[in-house]
């Protein structure tokens, strides 16, 4: 049976990217060796690194003065790298979910970290709007897409202090005005590459401003100044990222990714809103285009397990909601074809007919 992959992360990647990566594992560039068994400093791998960075800059239209670095440790390690590198006295955080909260918690180890606003009161189902960013903060940290709760900040907001964003789960799903940010980071395994590599886009002249000593490996300058080759980088995930960036470019870039994301989201939210058996959990104006959360309507609560089984029998994979919210979550990343969303919508319609 055909499977429709709605996994939240690690998640769907374009088939072509997986095949090209598999080929590089078997015989890289026709050199008769696997990419897994050559030096990261070989000219063949250096070309991969250079192309991945160049495509990052091209696709996101990154202005001069920014570095793109690849490191390990996941987005979770960025939760400490950010304050290590940017927090001198005080940082401000917008608490929009589990990941934002973890980032905030980590920053508290480095200085004063204030929660500017939180949507915890309503199980993170909305993005707080009326908040004031303290002008004496070293930076303001946001999580643009809340992977678990299905809310998203799709506009590049204006901030009176340097803006830093965790874009783990919506990078390359829309054009971004990078000039508005001092740092953008994310784990690759949602919308970019397999797990194991983390990207950071950092404004060079914002580095080296804090008075503390930064461990070498946690200093963005180490990676920026050495082209992400200070130590052995995660070569295979970087290779897959490069192939995925080529794929995005060939499809029409981030504008096309955004068009597709809107098309998928409109189709699925449309059905959630139409079908009396279901309801969405996120505030309509803050709905994520990437992670679409929904539950059974209150009067049909007891049908949850039945719908899950039915959807699975029709090939849906990974639609179980996160344990902190329940219900269902359809992650609709760049590589997800509209056909998969249509299959899920058909499933919801058929389930309604049967009940
Ligand atoms: C998944 C996720 C993380 C954690 O990423 P790791 O790479 O597993 O550390 C952080 N932030 C957001 C928004 C995420 O979706």
């Amino acid at each position: 049976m055909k499977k429709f992959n709605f996994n939240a992360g690690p998640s769907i990647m374009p088939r072509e990217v997986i095949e090209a990566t598999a080929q590089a594992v078997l015989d890289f560039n026709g050199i008769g060796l696997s990419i897994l068994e050559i030096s990261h400093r070989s000219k063949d791998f250096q070309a991969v690194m250079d192309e991945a960075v160049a495509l990052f800059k091209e696709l996101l239209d990154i202005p001069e003065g920014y570095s793109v670095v690849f490191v390990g440790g996941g987005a979770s390690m960025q939760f400490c790298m950010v304050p290590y590198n940017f927090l001198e006295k005080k940082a401000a955080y917008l608490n929009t979910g589990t990941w934002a909260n973890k980032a905030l918690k980590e920053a508290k180890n480095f200085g004063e970290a204030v929660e500017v606003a939180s949507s915890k009161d309503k199980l993170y189902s909305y993005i707080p709007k009326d908040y004031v960013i303290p002008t004496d903060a070293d930076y303001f940290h946001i999580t643009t897409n809340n992977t678990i709760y299905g809310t998203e900040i799709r506009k590049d907001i204006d901030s009176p202090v340097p803006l830093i964003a965790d874009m783990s789960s919506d990078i390359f799903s829309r054009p971004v005005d990078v000039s508005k940010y001092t740092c953008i980071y994310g784990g690759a395994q949602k919308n970019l590459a397999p797990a194991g590599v983390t990207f950071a886009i950092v404004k060079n002249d914002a580095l080296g401003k804090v008075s503390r000593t930064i461990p070498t490996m946690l200093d963005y300058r180490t990676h920026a100044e050495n082209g992400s080759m200070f130590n052995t980088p995660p070569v295979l995930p970087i290779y897959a990222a490069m192939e995925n960036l080529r794929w995005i470019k060939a499809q029409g870039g981030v504008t096309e990714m955004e068009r597709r994301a809107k098309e998928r989201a409109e189709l699925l939210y449309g059905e959630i809103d139409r079908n009396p058996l279901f309801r969405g959990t996120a505030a309509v104006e803050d709905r994520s285009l990437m992670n679409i959360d929904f539950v059974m309507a209150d009067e049909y609560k007891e049908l949850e397990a039945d719908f899950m089984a039915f959807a699975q029998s029709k090939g849906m994979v990974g639609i179980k909601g996160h344990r902190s919210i329940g219900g269902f979550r359809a992650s609709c990343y760049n590589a997800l074809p509209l056909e998969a969303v249509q299959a899920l919508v058909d499933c919801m319609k058929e389930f309604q007919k049967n009940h």
Side-chain angles (χ1 to χ4, degrees):
M1 180 187 28
K2 191 169 168 55
K3 300 274 183 175
F4 300 102
N5 184 356
F6 292 95
N7 280 321
S11 36
I12 189 167
M13 292 179 55
R15 194 68 208 170
E16 302 94 296
V17 172
I18 293 175
E19 281 168 4
T21 306
Q23 182 54 45
V25 169
L26 295 171
D27 181 3
F28 177 42
N29 280 356
I31 62 172
L33 293 172
S34 168
I35 190 172
L36 301 177
E37 52 186 4
I38 60 164
S39 169
H40 57 293
R41 300 194 192 280
S42 61
K43 76 172 182 359
D44 289 283
F45 185 74
Q46 185 63 56
V48 171
M49 180 64 94
D50 293 346
E51 187 175 341
V53 170
L55 284 169
F56 238 89
K57 291 186 173 172
E58 181 186 340
L59 290 169
L60 290 176
D61 201 10
I62 300 177
E64 288 290 305
Y66 284 80
S67 298
V68 174
V69 301
F70 295 115
V71 295
S76 300
M77 198 174 81
Q78 297 300 303
F79 296 165
C80 83
M81 268 179 89
V82 163
Y84 247 131
N85 285 266
F86 300 114
L87 199 167
E88 181 66 21
K89 283 205 180 74
K90 177 174 173 177
Y93 279 71
L94 188 64
N95 184 1
T96 51
T98 308
W99 299 115
N101 198 36
K102 284 189 176 172
L104 167 64
K105 234 176 113 182
E106 195 72 11
K108 287 183 175 161
N109 293 326
F110 295 84
E112 187 187 354
V114 296
E115 181 182 88
V116 167
S118 167
S119 48
K120 196 169 181 210
D121 58 339
K122 290 187 181 160
L123 199 58
Y124 295 119
S125 59
Y126 68 102
I127 303 286
K129 305 287 177 331
D130 299 316
Y131 55 82
V132 179
I133 304 166
T135 53
D136 61 342
D138 298 317
Y139 62 84
F140 178 49
H141 180 282
I142 58 172
T143 309
T144 51
N145 185 62
N146 299 285
T147 322
I148 294 175
Y149 297 96
T151 61
E152 187 174 14
I153 303 169
R154 284 194 78 80
K155 272 210 186 82
D156 301 306
I157 63 170
D158 293 304
S159 166
V161 300
L163 184 61
I164 295 184
D166 175 354
M167 293 198 187
S168 292
S169 51
D170 63 351
I171 190 76
F172 293 109
S173 74
R174 65 172 174 98
V176 174
D177 182 355
V178 175
S179 70
K180 286 192 163 182
Y181 300 83
T182 285
C183 173
I184 296 171
Y185 67 84
Q189 69 275 17
K190 313 278 166 56
N191 215 12
L192 181 62
V197 67
T198 311
F199 68 86
I201 303 166
V202 286
K203 196 174 186 175
N204 297 326
D205 66 13
L207 298 174
K209 296 275 173 14
V210 288
S211 54
R212 74 172 59 81
T213 303
I214 307 172
T216 309
M217 281 297 289
L218 299 179
D219 190 332
Y220 287 118
R221 284 174 302 181
T222 301
H223 305 288
E225 288 163 10
N226 292 285
S228 301
M229 293 274 202
F230 175 77
N231 71 325
T232 319
V235 291
L236 194 66
I238 292 172
Y239 181 83
M242 179 206 73
E243 285 288 354
N244 196 27
L245 295 171
R246 279 183 182 170
W247 179 85
I248 293 171
K249 184 175 169 180
Q251 303 300 304
V254 287
T255 339
E256 173 62 12
M257 293 300 113
E258 180 169 52
R259 189 196 65 74
R260 292 184 190 180
K262 284 182 173 160
E263 194 177 29
R264 286 187 299 259
E266 265 165 38
L267 180 60
L268 185 48
Y269 283 123
E271 176 61 15
I272 291 168
D273 293 341
R274 183 207 64 79
N275 193 323
L277 267 61
F278 302 96
R279 76 175 164 80
T281 56
V284 172
E285 69 276 17
D286 299 323
R287 282 173 163 178
S288 169
L289 302 191
M290 298 282 101
N291 308 96
I292 299 181
D293 288 8
F294 55 104
V295 294
M296 303 304 307
D298 292 341
E299 56 275 43
Y300 299 104
K301 271 274 168 277
E302 75 289 354
L303 293 178
E304 184 170 315
D306 289 355
F307 179 69
M308 184 60 81
F310 182 69
Q312 279 168 348
S313 78
K314 298 279 182 185
M316 306 303 137
V317 173
I319 62 161
K320 192 171 169 50
H322 189 269
R323 60 187 182 280
S324 59
I325 174 167
F328 311 98
R329 168 174 54 173
S331 296
C332 300
Y333 297 122
N334 282 345
L336 189 80
L338 186 64
E339 173 205 1
V341 177
Q342 188 60 58
L344 176 56
V345 165
D346 291 346
C347 221
M348 293 162 78
K349 287 187 197 293
E350 200 180 328
F351 191 76
Q352 182 198 5
K353 265 204 212 102
N354 301 342
H355 287 85

